[in-house]
Amino acid sequence: IEQNTKMGIEIIDSANNGYIKATNVNAGGFIGYMYQNKGNLIISESTNNGNISGKTCVGGLIGLVQDTKMDGSISNCSNNGN
């Protein structure tokens, strides 16, 4: 998700059960990469069960959030993948 002026993202009561493989960088169970965004980001009651792989910036829920001006929260989430 790149260079949007203002955007709200809500990921609620969700699950990732798939395998996600980045050939290079920025992999996440729900969001791989966010750059220069404004707005709200909420991830709650969600679980990553899948394996996530890549060279750098790899996370169970989010890979990389960079240079953003967002209000965000992550609550009651879990990562069970590798």
Side-chain angles (χ1 to χ4, degrees), residues 1-5 7 26 33-37 66 68:
I1 304 168
E2 190 169 337
Q3 295 179 321
N4 288 298
T5 55
M7 171 176 54
N26 306 328
Y33 177 65
M34 290 185 72
Y35 176 69
Q36 291 186 342
N37 288 283
Q66 181 181 12
T68 63

Side-chain angles (χ1 to χ4, degrees), residues 50-81:
N51 292 331
I52 315 295
S53 68
K55 291 183 180 177
T56 60
C57 302
V58 176
L61 301 177
I62 298 173
L64 175 66
V65 175
Q66 181 181 12
D67 203 17
T68 63
K69 295 179 181 174
M70 298 183 83
D71 292 324
S73 69
I74 298 174
S75 60
N76 299 319
C77 294
S78 61
N79 176 43
N80 301 316

Side-chain angles (χ1 to χ4, degrees), residues 11-58:
I11 300 169
I12 300 170
D13 196 24
S14 298
N16 170 49
N17 296 307
Y19 174 64
I20 296 173
K21 179 180 180 180
T23 56
N24 200 4
V25 298
N26 306 328
F30 295 105
I31 296 172
Y33 177 65
M34 290 185 72
Y35 176 69
Q36 291 186 342
N37 288 283
K38 299 176 185 175
N40 295 319
L41 169 63
I42 298 169
I43 303 176
S44 67
E45 308 292 333
S46 297
T47 302
N48 172 53
N49 295 311
N51 292 331
I52 315 295
S53 68
K55 291 183 180 177
T56 60
C57 302
V58 176

